[in-house]
Amino acid sequence: MGIGLSAFSSALAEIYYFKPQTLTVSLMFLAIISYIIGTAMHTFIPQRGVFNWLNPHPFNKKENAFVIIMASAAANAALATEVLAVQRLYYDVNPSAAASIPLLFSSQLLGYGIGGLMRSVLVYPSKMFYPSILPLISMLDTFFRDRTATQRKIQVFWSVFSIIFVWELFPEWIFPLLTGFSIFCLAAPNSPAVSRLFGGSNGNEGLGFLSICFDWLYISALNPFTVPLKALISALFGYILCIAVFIAVFYGNVWKARNFPFLSQVLFYENATLYDQSLIMGANYQVDPQLVAEQGLPYYASTWVIYLIATNLALAATVTHLLIWNHNDLRAAWTWLSPASFQHTWNEIHWRFWKYDGHHGGVDDNDDLDPHYAQMLKYPDAPNSWYGLTAVLSLIVAFVIIYKCDSTLPWWGLVIALLLATVFILFVVALYAMTGIPLSIQTFVQMVAGYLHRGKPMANMYFVLYSYNTMNQAQLLLRDLKIAQYVKLPPRAAFAAQVIGTLFGATMNFVLMSSIISNRHDTLLSIQGSNVWSGQQVQQYNSQAIAWGGLSSELFSIGSRYHWVPLSYIVGLFVPIPFWLVHRYWPKLQTDLVYTPLICAFIGTLAAGVNASALSFFIVGFASQWWLRTRHPRWFQKYNYIVAAALDGGTQVMTFILSFAVFGAAGHIHLFPSWWGANQAGNYDHCMLLQ
């Protein structure tokens, strides 16, 4: 089942990557499908004779978790395929399969190796509870406990699942006005100002202020049932600031904002036409300063610049916030770099790995251990040497491959990329584990690479691959290790599931990517693409590499147009300090509950996508985490996460069906006939179409 679903999810993820409507293969979808398949296999495979080894007992929770972890490790379009796609489409560089597949393996597994060495700090403690996976754990508990004891929960799950499954037909297809219902848009459908502020039912339409969203697909981008209350409050402050800043920047014409679309992520000429980066590229895949002088420097939409600033503010604030409030935890995280730890790891390494005694590294008496982990101590641990060897082998492969794939990234650039990833794994994953809200380091590492490797956009892409992707893979590994901890899946089984799923998925990613680029080359290069295939994500990744890798000095250095983007990182380091000082001298104000990194991150949260869901997200979140948790705690404990799981599961299964049936994943798009509730010729909320 794990191999089958890994093949399915990895192929589907790569296909989705090249679609006009970008979708992901969700954890909840894989959980429900694997549960259905597993119970069906137990029902129909005979339990006697030669078949008994295939079906020795009922499908259980640990088996389901093993399949979920393996399939989820494969269920992403590996970032290396994005790099390879850009090389093929824009640079006429076509690395062989013999070089490409090791590139995929090394870039996917480096994060696993480094992240695994930090699991004693980022997985074992109770404060690292990963709220985003709690609905999944609640669902698995309900499915596999004694049916008589959980009958009510099962009824609630399948009732909510069925209702949302049918309901999603309406906002997703029949009645898309429900994606973003705005009374202001209906009252003033021809006002550009109303569209920018209140519109939000379509991508890059507007800020969606006071719009109500009835589509759980968009509301649950971060499941509001799982985000802790203090994180919600911080996010709400950031959201309000985002609206104020975006409006002020646009109407103040900062960075010539009114020349360009209100929300956009691509590069423009000053006259608002799309910037053609191919006209500034010289030999050896480098930007030619003379050609840049002829074409002029590109512009961003000003709201996108605010997003870049907010991302850097949040990342820097994360470092300071955790150093102030969690310094003891962070100090413990680096014990694996001590000489004693290296000696212990060296002593563990032996070709007869089954001789390892399974000791858990002296964590048994730690008072901060998750009680779930305390029950895991009976299983032999996956030793640090396994994770260390995974990282070392991946690093050796990476050193070879960056030269075989014409990356233009020198070996020392790879070392710096990995050092940055290692540091940020500790900070960013810790924040994610405590709040459920992920932060991206992509902008920051692109900035660093731009200054280290000036004029080399391809080197920038590889630097991002081995820094941002390494951190992201570590976050996925640590999240899945927490799933294993909650369901008591033995650590060695979890390690095997993750490595097998990752390697298998990366191979499938490469096969699908090669086939799609070979057959849809011209379509992927076009701006609009087709109604079936699109190169929008490849184009955006390449544009970012051009801006940061080729023009970082001209666009972002001190005195240049966007110099506040890198300077914001320095500012962000000081943002948490006032809150810490206030708490130190006036603790009753409880400023220790403020997550400054989330406030900063949400200042840029509306820079792209469908924004009408924000208000509904906060309404549901506060109803769950404040009203329900404080007024009806018993109901919250029993049903909050099982309802969240049912909503996610029903929505994602229906979305999967619709993506193939009507949204073009199977080759043809079948939109619902246009009517007042499905304005196919414009924005669904009837706000003015500005672009």
Side-chain angles (χ1 to χ4, degrees), residues 440-471:
S440 173
I441 67 168
Q442 183 171 348
T443 301
F444 176 74
V445 296
Q446 281 178 321
M447 178 184 71
V448 173
Y451 286 105
L452 290 176
H453 312 291
R454 294 188 178 185
K456 296 182 177 181
M458 197 181 297
N460 192 281
M461 289 189 294
Y462 275 85
F463 190 97
V464 172
L465 172 64
Y466 280 109
S467 51
Y468 164 68
N469 188 65
T470 296
M471 193 222 73

PDB file of all heavy atoms in Angstrom, residues 440-471:
ATOM      1  N   SER A 440       8.624  30.768   5.631  1.00  0.00           N
ATOM      2  CA  SER A 440       9.510  30.436   4.518  1.00  0.00           C
ATOM      3  C   SER A 440      10.818  31.210   4.629  1.00  0.00           C
ATOM      4  O   SER A 440      10.821  32.396   4.967  1.00  0.00           O
ATOM      5  CB  SER A 440       8.837  30.765   3.186  1.00  0.00           C
ATOM      6  OG  SER A 440       9.741  30.599   2.107  1.00  0.00           O
ATOM      7  N   ILE A 441      11.922  30.532   4.329  1.00  0.00           N
ATOM      8  CA  ILE A 441      13.217  31.218   4.301  1.00  0.00           C
ATOM      9  C   ILE A 441      13.674  31.481   2.871  1.00  0.00           C
ATOM     10  O   ILE A 441      14.799  31.928   2.652  1.00  0.00           O
ATOM     11  CB  ILE A 441      14.302  30.394   5.032  1.00  0.00           C
ATOM     12  CG1 ILE A 441      14.612  29.095   4.283  1.00  0.00           C
ATOM     13  CG2 ILE A 441      13.883  30.102   6.459  1.00  0.00           C
ATOM     14  CD1 ILE A 441      15.846  28.382   4.783  1.00  0.00           C
ATOM     15  N   GLN A 442      12.791  31.252   1.904  1.00  0.00           N
ATOM     16  CA  GLN A 442      13.212  31.336   0.508  1.00  0.00           C
ATOM     17  C   GLN A 442      13.723  32.731   0.152  1.00  0.00           C
ATOM     18  O   GLN A 442      14.768  32.869  -0.486  1.00  0.00           O
ATOM     19  CB  GLN A 442      12.060  30.950  -0.428  1.00  0.00           C
ATOM     20  CG  GLN A 442      12.456  30.955  -1.898  1.00  0.00           C
ATOM     21  CD  GLN A 442      11.387  30.379  -2.803  1.00  0.00           C
ATOM     22  OE1 GLN A 442      10.424  29.777  -2.348  1.00  0.00           O
ATOM     23  NE2 GLN A 442      11.540  30.565  -4.099  1.00  0.00           N
ATOM     24  N   THR A 443      13.002  33.764   0.549  1.00  0.00           N
ATOM     25  CA  THR A 443      13.426  35.124   0.204  1.00  0.00           C
ATOM     26  C   THR A 443      14.789  35.444   0.793  1.00  0.00           C
ATOM     27  O   THR A 443      15.654  36.019   0.127  1.00  0.00           O
ATOM     28  CB  THR A 443      12.390  36.139   0.702  1.00  0.00           C
ATOM     29  OG1 THR A 443      11.124  35.850   0.099  1.00  0.00           O
ATOM     30  CG2 THR A 443      12.799  37.554   0.350  1.00  0.00           C
ATOM     31  N   PHE A 444      14.996  35.055   2.040  1.00  0.00           N
ATOM     32  CA  PHE A 444      16.269  35.365   2.689  1.00  0.00           C
ATOM     33  C   PHE A 444      17.440  34.659   2.012  1.00  0.00           C
ATOM     34  O   PHE A 444      18.474  35.276   1.744  1.00  0.00           O
ATOM     35  CB  PHE A 444      16.213  34.980   4.170  1.00  0.00           C
ATOM     36  CG  PHE A 444      17.512  35.176   4.882  1.00  0.00           C
ATOM     37  CD1 PHE A 444      17.954  36.444   5.199  1.00  0.00           C
ATOM     38  CD2 PHE A 444      18.314  34.092   5.225  1.00  0.00           C
ATOM     39  CE1 PHE A 444      19.173  36.638   5.849  1.00  0.00           C
ATOM     40  CE2 PHE A 444      19.525  34.273   5.869  1.00  0.00           C
ATOM     41  CZ  PHE A 444      19.951  35.551   6.189  1.00  0.00           C
ATOM     42  N   VAL A 445      17.282  33.370   1.728  1.00  0.00           N
ATOM     43  CA  VAL A 445      18.403  32.650   1.123  1.00  0.00           C
ATOM     44  C   VAL A 445      18.637  33.099  -0.318  1.00  0.00           C
ATOM     45  O   VAL A 445      19.775  33.061  -0.799  1.00  0.00           O
ATOM     46  CB  VAL A 445      18.200  31.117   1.217  1.00  0.00           C
ATOM     47  CG1 VAL A 445      18.197  30.677   2.664  1.00  0.00           C
ATOM     48  CG2 VAL A 445      16.947  30.655   0.506  1.00  0.00           C
ATOM     49  N   GLN A 446      17.571  33.522  -1.007  1.00  0.00           N
ATOM     50  CA  GLN A 446      17.772  34.101  -2.338  1.00  0.00           C
ATOM     51  C   GLN A 446      18.593  35.382  -2.245  1.00  0.00           C
ATOM     52  O   GLN A 446      19.448  35.649  -3.098  1.00  0.00           O
ATOM     53  CB  GLN A 446      16.417  34.391  -2.997  1.00  0.00           C
ATOM     54  CG  GLN A 446      15.747  33.160  -3.579  1.00  0.00           C
ATOM     55  CD  GLN A 446      14.390  33.469  -4.176  1.00  0.00           C
ATOM     56  OE1 GLN A 446      13.630  34.264  -3.630  1.00  0.00           O
ATOM     57  NE2 GLN A 446      14.073  32.834  -5.282  1.00  0.00           N
ATOM     58  N   MET A 447      18.331  36.172  -1.208  1.00  0.00           N
ATOM     59  CA  MET A 447      19.080  37.403  -1.007  1.00  0.00           C
ATOM     60  C   MET A 447      20.552  37.102  -0.745  1.00  0.00           C
ATOM     61  O   MET A 447      21.452  37.709  -1.356  1.00  0.00           O
ATOM     62  CB  MET A 447      18.487  38.192   0.155  1.00  0.00           C
ATOM     63  CG  MET A 447      19.228  39.473   0.495  1.00  0.00           C
ATOM     64  SD  MET A 447      18.539  40.284   1.945  1.00  0.00           S
ATOM     65  CE  MET A 447      19.068  39.148   3.240  1.00  0.00           C
ATOM     66  N   VAL A 448      20.812  36.157   0.158  1.00  0.00           N
ATOM     67  CA  VAL A 448      22.193  35.798   0.470  1.00  0.00           C
ATOM     68  C   VAL A 448      22.914  35.293  -0.774  1.00  0.00           C
ATOM     69  O   VAL A 448      24.047  35.690  -1.083  1.00  0.00           O
ATOM     70  CB  VAL A 448      22.230  34.735   1.588  1.00  0.00           C
ATOM     71  CG1 VAL A 448      23.657  34.221   1.791  1.00  0.00           C
ATOM     72  CG2 VAL A 448      21.685  35.303   2.882  1.00  0.00           C
ATOM     73  N   ALA A 449      22.250  34.403  -1.518  1.00  0.00           N
ATOM     74  CA  ALA A 449      22.862  33.852  -2.728  1.00  0.00           C
ATOM     75  C   ALA A 449      23.116  34.935  -3.767  1.00  0.00           C
ATOM     76  O   ALA A 449      24.113  34.896  -4.495  1.00  0.00           O
ATOM     77  CB  ALA A 449      21.963  32.768  -3.318  1.00  0.00           C
ATOM     78  N   GLY A 450      22.193  35.914  -3.830  1.00  0.00           N
ATOM     79  CA  GLY A 450      22.361  36.984  -4.807  1.00  0.00           C
ATOM     80  C   GLY A 450      23.632  37.794  -4.578  1.00  0.00           C
ATOM     81  O   GLY A 450      24.306  38.202  -5.526  1.00  0.00           O
ATOM     82  N   TYR A 451      23.977  38.009  -3.306  1.00  0.00           N
ATOM     83  CA  TYR A 451      25.187  38.769  -3.008  1.00  0.00           C
ATOM     84  C   TYR A 451      26.439  37.906  -3.078  1.00  0.00           C
ATOM     85  O   TYR A 451      27.528  38.397  -3.381  1.00  0.00           O
ATOM     86  CB  TYR A 451      25.066  39.422  -1.631  1.00  0.00           C
ATOM     87  CG  TYR A 451      24.130  40.612  -1.637  1.00  0.00           C
ATOM     88  CD1 TYR A 451      22.858  40.529  -1.090  1.00  0.00           C
ATOM     89  CD2 TYR A 451      24.517  41.819  -2.219  1.00  0.00           C
ATOM     90  CE1 TYR A 451      21.989  41.617  -1.102  1.00  0.00           C
ATOM     91  CE2 TYR A 451      23.657  42.911  -2.239  1.00  0.00           C
ATOM     92  CZ  TYR A 451      22.402  42.801  -1.681  1.00  0.00           C
ATOM     93  OH  TYR A 451      21.556  43.883  -1.711  1.00  0.00           O
ATOM     94  N   LEU A 452      26.298  36.613  -2.785  1.00  0.00           N
ATOM     95  CA  LEU A 452      27.463  35.728  -2.867  1.00  0.00           C
ATOM     96  C   LEU A 452      27.823  35.377  -4.306  1.00  0.00           C
ATOM     97  O   LEU A 452      29.002  35.212  -4.646  1.00  0.00           O
ATOM     98  CB  LEU A 452      27.187  34.434  -2.086  1.00  0.00           C
ATOM     99  CG  LEU A 452      27.118  34.529  -0.562  1.00  0.00           C
ATOM    100  CD1 LEU A 452      26.751  33.172   0.021  1.00  0.00           C
ATOM    101  CD2 LEU A 452      28.448  35.004   0.011  1.00  0.00           C
ATOM    102  N   HIS A 453      26.801  35.250  -5.156  1.00  0.00           N
ATOM    103  CA  HIS A 453      27.026  34.803  -6.536  1.00  0.00           C
ATOM    104  C   HIS A 453      26.351  35.787  -7.490  1.00  0.00           C
ATOM    105  O   HIS A 453      25.348  35.474  -8.138  1.00  0.00           O
ATOM    106  CB  HIS A 453      26.476  33.386  -6.731  1.00  0.00           C
ATOM    107  CG  HIS A 453      26.888  32.411  -5.672  1.00  0.00           C
ATOM    108  ND1 HIS A 453      28.182  31.971  -5.533  1.00  0.00           N
ATOM    109  CD2 HIS A 453      26.179  31.816  -4.679  1.00  0.00           C
ATOM    110  CE1 HIS A 453      28.252  31.132  -4.504  1.00  0.00           C
ATOM    111  NE2 HIS A 453      27.058  31.025  -3.971  1.00  0.00           N
ATOM    112  N   ARG A 454      26.911  36.969  -7.567  1.00  0.00           N
ATOM    113  CA  ARG A 454      26.301  38.044  -8.351  1.00  0.00           C
ATOM    114  C   ARG A 454      26.295  37.702  -9.839  1.00  0.00           C
ATOM    115  O   ARG A 454      27.276  37.209 -10.378  1.00  0.00           O
ATOM    116  CB  ARG A 454      27.048  39.350  -8.117  1.00  0.00           C
ATOM    117  CG  ARG A 454      26.904  39.867  -6.693  1.00  0.00           C
ATOM    118  CD  ARG A 454      27.481  41.257  -6.524  1.00  0.00           C
ATOM    119  NE  ARG A 454      27.298  41.745  -5.158  1.00  0.00           N
ATOM    120  CZ  ARG A 454      27.614  42.959  -4.756  1.00  0.00           C
ATOM    121  NH1 ARG A 454      28.147  43.815  -5.620  1.00  0.00           N
ATOM    122  NH2 ARG A 454      27.411  43.325  -3.497  1.00  0.00           N
ATOM    123  N   GLY A 455      25.173  38.023 -10.454  1.00  0.00           N
ATOM    124  CA  GLY A 455      25.043  37.814 -11.894  1.00  0.00           C
ATOM    125  C   GLY A 455      24.844  36.373 -12.292  1.00  0.00           C
ATOM    126  O   GLY A 455      24.908  36.047 -13.472  1.00  0.00           O
ATOM    127  N   LYS A 456      24.584  35.467 -11.323  1.00  0.00           N
ATOM    128  CA  LYS A 456      24.446  34.044 -11.620  1.00  0.00           C
ATOM    129  C   LYS A 456      23.083  33.529 -11.148  1.00  0.00           C
ATOM    130  O   LYS A 456      22.954  32.968 -10.053  1.00  0.00           O
ATOM    131  CB  LYS A 456      25.550  33.238 -10.940  1.00  0.00           C
ATOM    132  CG  LYS A 456      26.950  33.560 -11.444  1.00  0.00           C
ATOM    133  CD  LYS A 456      27.990  32.685 -10.748  1.00  0.00           C
ATOM    134  CE  LYS A 456      29.376  32.942 -11.273  1.00  0.00           C
ATOM    135  NZ  LYS A 456      30.383  32.065 -10.595  1.00  0.00           N
ATOM    136  N   PRO A 457      22.046  33.714 -11.955  1.00  0.00           N
ATOM    137  CA  PRO A 457      20.717  33.255 -11.538  1.00  0.00           C
ATOM    138  C   PRO A 457      20.628  31.744 -11.345  1.00  0.00           C
ATOM    139  O   PRO A 457      19.886  31.266 -10.484  1.00  0.00           O
ATOM    140  CB  PRO A 457      19.793  33.739 -12.660  1.00  0.00           C
ATOM    141  CG  PRO A 457      20.693  34.040 -13.818  1.00  0.00           C
ATOM    142  CD  PRO A 457      22.001  34.429 -13.250  1.00  0.00           C
ATOM    143  N   MET A 458      21.382  30.974 -12.140  1.00  0.00           N
ATOM    144  CA  MET A 458      21.312  29.527 -11.981  1.00  0.00           C
ATOM    145  C   MET A 458      21.941  29.086 -10.658  1.00  0.00           C
ATOM    146  O   MET A 458      21.427  28.200  -9.967  1.00  0.00           O
ATOM    147  CB  MET A 458      21.981  28.808 -13.153  1.00  0.00           C
ATOM    148  CG  MET A 458      21.575  27.334 -13.243  1.00  0.00           C
ATOM    149  SD  MET A 458      22.365  26.437 -14.586  1.00  0.00           S
ATOM    150  CE  MET A 458      21.726  27.324 -15.986  1.00  0.00           C
ATOM    151  N   ALA A 459      23.052  29.716 -10.283  1.00  0.00           N
ATOM    152  CA  ALA A 459      23.654  29.421  -8.984  1.00  0.00           C
ATOM    153  C   ALA A 459      22.682  29.761  -7.862  1.00  0.00           C
ATOM    154  O   ALA A 459      22.621  29.061  -6.840  1.00  0.00           O
ATOM    155  CB  ALA A 459      24.955  30.198  -8.819  1.00  0.00           C
ATOM    156  N   ASN A 460      21.902  30.836  -8.054  1.00  0.00           N
ATOM    157  CA  ASN A 460      20.906  31.227  -7.060  1.00  0.00           C
ATOM    158  C   ASN A 460      19.868  30.122  -6.867  1.00  0.00           C
ATOM    159  O   ASN A 460      19.474  29.809  -5.730  1.00  0.00           O
ATOM    160  CB  ASN A 460      20.231  32.530  -7.503  1.00  0.00           C
ATOM    161  CG  ASN A 460      19.395  33.154  -6.414  1.00  0.00           C
ATOM    162  OD1 ASN A 460      18.290  32.742  -6.148  1.00  0.00           O
ATOM    163  ND2 ASN A 460      19.945  34.190  -5.792  1.00  0.00           N
ATOM    164  N   MET A 461      19.436  29.515  -7.956  1.00  0.00           N
ATOM    165  CA  MET A 461      18.437  28.458  -7.865  1.00  0.00           C
ATOM    166  C   MET A 461      18.976  27.255  -7.096  1.00  0.00           C
ATOM    167  O   MET A 461      18.278  26.660  -6.266  1.00  0.00           O
ATOM    168  CB  MET A 461      17.990  28.027  -9.269  1.00  0.00           C
ATOM    169  CG  MET A 461      17.152  29.051  -9.995  1.00  0.00           C
ATOM    170  SD  MET A 461      16.432  28.403 -11.524  1.00  0.00           S
ATOM    171  CE  MET A 461      17.911  28.122 -12.510  1.00  0.00           C
ATOM    172  N   TYR A 462      20.203  26.872  -7.367  1.00  0.00           N
ATOM    173  CA  TYR A 462      20.781  25.721  -6.666  1.00  0.00           C
ATOM    174  C   TYR A 462      21.059  26.041  -5.198  1.00  0.00           C
ATOM    175  O   TYR A 462      20.938  25.172  -4.332  1.00  0.00           O
ATOM    176  CB  TYR A 462      22.066  25.272  -7.366  1.00  0.00           C
ATOM    177  CG  TYR A 462      21.805  24.328  -8.513  1.00  0.00           C
ATOM    178  CD1 TYR A 462      21.499  24.797  -9.780  1.00  0.00           C
ATOM    179  CD2 TYR A 462      21.852  22.948  -8.329  1.00  0.00           C
ATOM    180  CE1 TYR A 462      21.241  23.937 -10.839  1.00  0.00           C
ATOM    181  CE2 TYR A 462      21.604  22.068  -9.372  1.00  0.00           C
ATOM    182  CZ  TYR A 462      21.301  22.566 -10.625  1.00  0.00           C
ATOM    183  OH  TYR A 462      21.038  21.702 -11.658  1.00  0.00           O
ATOM    184  N   PHE A 463      21.445  27.273  -4.918  1.00  0.00           N
ATOM    185  CA  PHE A 463      21.642  27.679  -3.525  1.00  0.00           C
ATOM    186  C   PHE A 463      20.323  27.563  -2.757  1.00  0.00           C
ATOM    187  O   PHE A 463      20.286  27.051  -1.631  1.00  0.00           O
ATOM    188  CB  PHE A 463      22.165  29.119  -3.482  1.00  0.00           C
ATOM    189  CG  PHE A 463      22.638  29.562  -2.132  1.00  0.00           C
ATOM    190  CD1 PHE A 463      23.984  29.506  -1.803  1.00  0.00           C
ATOM    191  CD2 PHE A 463      21.746  30.061  -1.179  1.00  0.00           C
ATOM    192  CE1 PHE A 463      24.440  29.929  -0.561  1.00  0.00           C
ATOM    193  CE2 PHE A 463      22.184  30.484   0.066  1.00  0.00           C
ATOM    194  CZ  PHE A 463      23.535  30.407   0.373  1.00  0.00           C
ATOM    195  N   VAL A 464      19.238  28.038  -3.361  1.00  0.00           N
ATOM    196  CA  VAL A 464      17.914  27.931  -2.737  1.00  0.00           C
ATOM    197  C   VAL A 464      17.524  26.472  -2.566  1.00  0.00           C
ATOM    198  O   VAL A 464      16.947  26.074  -1.539  1.00  0.00           O
ATOM    199  CB  VAL A 464      16.871  28.687  -3.586  1.00  0.00           C
ATOM    200  CG1 VAL A 464      15.460  28.420  -3.066  1.00  0.00           C
ATOM    201  CG2 VAL A 464      17.156  30.180  -3.578  1.00  0.00           C
ATOM    202  N   LEU A 465      17.843  25.653  -3.552  1.00  0.00           N
ATOM    203  CA  LEU A 465      17.511  24.229  -3.478  1.00  0.00           C
ATOM    204  C   LEU A 465      18.144  23.578  -2.264  1.00  0.00           C
ATOM    205  O   LEU A 465      17.480  22.835  -1.521  1.00  0.00           O
ATOM    206  CB  LEU A 465      17.986  23.534  -4.759  1.00  0.00           C
ATOM    207  CG  LEU A 465      17.885  22.001  -4.788  1.00  0.00           C
ATOM    208  CD1 LEU A 465      16.424  21.564  -4.714  1.00  0.00           C
ATOM    209  CD2 LEU A 465      18.561  21.443  -6.031  1.00  0.00           C
ATOM    210  N   TYR A 466      19.423  23.864  -2.015  1.00  0.00           N
ATOM    211  CA  TYR A 466      20.134  23.184  -0.926  1.00  0.00           C
ATOM    212  C   TYR A 466      20.033  23.919   0.417  1.00  0.00           C
ATOM    213  O   TYR A 466      20.599  23.457   1.394  1.00  0.00           O
ATOM    214  CB  TYR A 466      21.594  22.983  -1.311  1.00  0.00           C
ATOM    215  CG  TYR A 466      21.772  21.802  -2.231  1.00  0.00           C
ATOM    216  CD1 TYR A 466      22.104  21.973  -3.572  1.00  0.00           C
ATOM    217  CD2 TYR A 466      21.590  20.507  -1.765  1.00  0.00           C
ATOM    218  CE1 TYR A 466      22.266  20.884  -4.416  1.00  0.00           C
ATOM    219  CE2 TYR A 466      21.742  19.414  -2.601  1.00  0.00           C
ATOM    220  CZ  TYR A 466      22.075  19.608  -3.926  1.00  0.00           C
ATOM    221  OH  TYR A 466      22.226  18.521  -4.750  1.00  0.00           O
ATOM    222  N   SER A 467      19.313  25.028   0.461  1.00  0.00           N
ATOM    223  CA  SER A 467      19.077  25.701   1.748  1.00  0.00           C
ATOM    224  C   SER A 467      17.599  25.657   2.095  1.00  0.00           C
ATOM    225  O   SER A 467      17.190  24.970   3.040  1.00  0.00           O
ATOM    226  CB  SER A 467      19.593  27.142   1.694  1.00  0.00           C
ATOM    227  OG  SER A 467      19.093  27.822   0.549  1.00  0.00           O
ATOM    228  N   TYR A 468      16.773  26.333   1.305  1.00  0.00           N
ATOM    229  CA  TYR A 468      15.328  26.356   1.567  1.00  0.00           C
ATOM    230  C   TYR A 468      14.720  24.958   1.526  1.00  0.00           C
ATOM    231  O   TYR A 468      13.964  24.562   2.419  1.00  0.00           O
ATOM    232  CB  TYR A 468      14.644  27.272   0.547  1.00  0.00           C
ATOM    233  CG  TYR A 468      13.153  27.086   0.458  1.00  0.00           C
ATOM    234  CD1 TYR A 468      12.319  27.455   1.512  1.00  0.00           C
ATOM    235  CD2 TYR A 468      12.571  26.539  -0.691  1.00  0.00           C
ATOM    236  CE1 TYR A 468      10.948  27.287   1.427  1.00  0.00           C
ATOM    237  CE2 TYR A 468      11.208  26.372  -0.779  1.00  0.00           C
ATOM    238  CZ  TYR A 468      10.396  26.742   0.286  1.00  0.00           C
ATOM    239  OH  TYR A 468       9.035  26.554   0.197  1.00  0.00           O
ATOM    240  N   ASN A 469      15.037  24.185   0.482  1.00  0.00           N
ATOM    241  CA  ASN A 469      14.448  22.855   0.367  1.00  0.00           C
ATOM    242  C   ASN A 469      14.938  21.922   1.478  1.00  0.00           C
ATOM    243  O   ASN A 469      14.183  21.079   1.972  1.00  0.00           O
ATOM    244  CB  ASN A 469      14.774  22.247  -1.000  1.00  0.00           C
ATOM    245  CG  ASN A 469      14.022  20.960  -1.256  1.00  0.00           C
ATOM    246  OD1 ASN A 469      12.804  20.953  -1.350  1.00  0.00           O
ATOM    247  ND2 ASN A 469      14.745  19.850  -1.353  1.00  0.00           N
ATOM    248  N   THR A 470      16.200  22.060   1.869  1.00  0.00           N
ATOM    249  CA  THR A 470      16.723  21.241   2.970  1.00  0.00           C
ATOM    250  C   THR A 470      15.955  21.514   4.260  1.00  0.00           C
ATOM    251  O   THR A 470      15.574  20.588   4.987  1.00  0.00           O
ATOM    252  CB  THR A 470      18.220  21.524   3.166  1.00  0.00           C
ATOM    253  OG1 THR A 470      18.927  21.115   1.983  1.00  0.00           O
ATOM    254  CG2 THR A 470      18.769  20.771   4.360  1.00  0.00           C
ATOM    255  N   MET A 471      15.703  22.801   4.547  1.00  0.00           N
ATOM    256  CA  MET A 471      14.933  23.126   5.743  1.00  0.00           C
ATOM    257  C   MET A 471      13.502  22.613   5.638  1.00  0.00           C
ATOM    258  O   MET A 471      12.928  22.085   6.602  1.00  0.00           O
ATOM    259  CB  MET A 471      14.922  24.636   5.959  1.00  0.00           C
ATOM    260  CG  MET A 471      14.432  25.064   7.330  1.00  0.00           C
ATOM    261  SD  MET A 471      13.319  26.488   7.281  1.00  0.00           S
ATOM    262  CE  MET A 471      11.824  25.779   6.628  1.00  0.00           C
TER     263      MET A 471
END
